[in-house]
Amino acid sequence: MKATTSRQFPSLAAWSVKLIGAILIVSSLVDYLILLIPPNLLNRGWQLSVTSQLVDRGIVPMVGMGLVLIGFWMDSVTSGGSQKPIKALVDLRFWIALLASLLGLLYLLLFPLHLNNTRLARAEALSQIQQQASQAETQLETQLGSDQFQQQVEQRKNLLKNQFSSVIQNEEQLNQLLAREDLPQQVKDVLEQSKTNPQVLEQFLEQQADSLPTQLLTQIRERQQQLEEQAKTRSLKSSLQTGISSLLLAIGYIGVGFTGLKGVGILGGGRRKPPAG
């Protein structure tokens, strides 16, 4: 009884491993098909999204294939290599190897496709950023030439002048303000000098009003540069992460496919013949 049980357990374990592997493979293929629905092959965004998701899920079928092959190895060990040879077309290992070869080809093709798509997407994003920055500069030029903008600048200057004058006249508030570490040194100098020379404050506010257009233009260009750097970084990360992963998956699947096809006799030499009895 114990001998029978000891013989049945490895066989049951091998069958369970192959079943789990087959489930992983089939479920992954179903998942792949769902990702492709509805197809939009001419849309670059759809291609980028599908490629990334296919690569993210790419390791699951490989694990399933590994489990199936381990199951066959366990059967071989249990039988002591005395299994009868079977035709390739009815051998599950042949279909596993064929599927691995096809997936290897798929991921090999996805590698340059994804790199090209990320390059085009980056160029498009940079072009949009430049257009938006150009529009913002045009709008700024229009605003700077308007009477409404000049009135707003004048109102802002008068408001600041009143606030600074109020602080200068209050010694306690002035000392508290000068003690603040976050206050620019230039402003501290203006406050201290304005106590004896009120014209310093007036000149400072005039300078700030005159430099306002340049400051606004600088903000637009700094924002443009920041967005461009973000777009380049996203493109580089996508190219490295998805592209390299796709290439590694292609190498892995092609290796599994080549080894499997060779093992079932499709490539080079055929199967090993069982030892003569």
Side-chain angles (χ1 to χ4, degrees):
M1 180 93 178
K2 291 183 178 180
T4 303
T5 303
S6 63
R7 288 194 301 268
Q8 289 178 345
F9 178 76
S11 178
L12 178 61
W15 181 86
S16 300
V17 169
K18 287 190 284 187
L19 177 62
I20 294 172
I23 291 174
L24 287 176
I25 295 171
V26 173
S27 63
S28 297
L29 294 179
V30 172
D31 195 20
Y32 285 6
L33 291 175
I34 293 175
L35 285 177
L36 299 176
I37 299 174
N40 193 0
L41 301 177
L42 299 181
N43 186 288
R44 187 179 305 116
W46 181 87
Q47 292 179 12
L48 287 169
S49 175
V50 170
T51 300
S52 299
Q53 294 183 70
L54 286 175
V55 171
D56 290 341
R57 293 163 167 79
I59 196 65
V60 179
M62 189 178 294
V63 172
M65 293 175 184
L67 291 175
V68 172
L69 296 177
I70 289 174
F72 277 104
W73 173 79
M74 293 171 65
D75 282 337
S76 177
V77 172
T78 303
S79 63
S82 61
Q83 292 179 318
K84 296 181 179 180
I86 57 177
K87 294 181 179 181
L89 294 180
V90 295
D91 191 340
L92 180 59
R93 287 171 293 185
F94 165 74
W95 296 106
I96 293 293
L98 181 61
L99 177 60
S101 301
L102 293 176
L103 289 177
L105 178 61
L106 171 65
Y107 284 108
L108 188 62
L109 294 176
L110 288 180
F111 173 63
L113 175 65
H114 183 74
L115 293 183
N116 185 59
N117 280 335
T118 52
R119 179 184 63 82
L120 294 176
R122 180 184 63 182
E124 183 177 349
L126 293 177
S127 177
Q128 291 179 352
I129 292 171
Q130 291 173 358
Q131 290 179 1
Q132 292 173 358
S134 178
Q135 292 175 358
E137 290 183 12
T138 302
Q139 292 175 356
L140 177 62
E141 291 177 359
T142 303
Q143 292 175 354
L144 292 177
S146 65
D147 294 336
Q148 182 180 3
F149 181 81
Q150 298 299 329
Q151 292 175 0
Q152 291 176 350
V153 172
E154 193 66 27
Q155 291 174 359
R156 179 64 177 172
K157 186 174 70 173
N158 292 333
L159 178 61
L160 290 175
K161 182 178 180 180
N162 293 334
Q163 290 177 343
F164 277 116
S165 299
S166 176
V167 171
I168 292 172
Q169 295 173 3
N170 190 319
E171 190 71 21
E172 182 178 356
Q173 290 184 0
L174 178 61
N175 292 332
Q176 291 177 354
L177 192 60
L178 293 175
R180 291 178 53 178
E181 296 182 357
D182 59 338
L183 189 68
Q185 185 62 40
Q186 183 183 13
V187 177
K188 291 182 180 181
D189 295 340
V190 169
L191 290 173
E192 290 179 344
Q193 296 173 15
S194 296
K195 290 189 297 184
T196 57
N197 185 6
Q199 290 298 322
V200 173
L201 177 61
E202 187 69 26
Q203 293 174 359
F204 173 73
L205 294 176
E206 286 291 341
Q207 291 176 356
Q208 292 298 309
D210 293 340
S211 63
L212 181 59
T214 303
Q215 294 176 4
L216 295 176
L217 182 60
T218 301
Q219 291 178 0
I220 292 175
R221 292 178 177 175
E222 287 179 349
R223 179 59 177 169
Q224 176 187 358
Q225 183 177 6
Q226 181 183 6
L227 292 175
E228 288 177 349
E229 291 296 329
Q230 291 177 355
K232 293 177 181 178
T233 301
R234 285 195 303 268
S235 176
L236 179 61
K237 286 183 177 180
S238 178
S239 298
L240 291 176
Q241 182 179 2
T242 304
I244 293 178
S245 296
S246 179
L247 184 60
L248 292 175
L249 287 170
I251 294 173
Y253 278 116
I254 291 174
V256 172
F258 177 81
T259 304
L261 292 175
K262 186 175 180 181
V264 297
I266 301 299
L267 296 177
R271 302 168 180 260
R272 290 183 179 178
K273 296 181 180 180

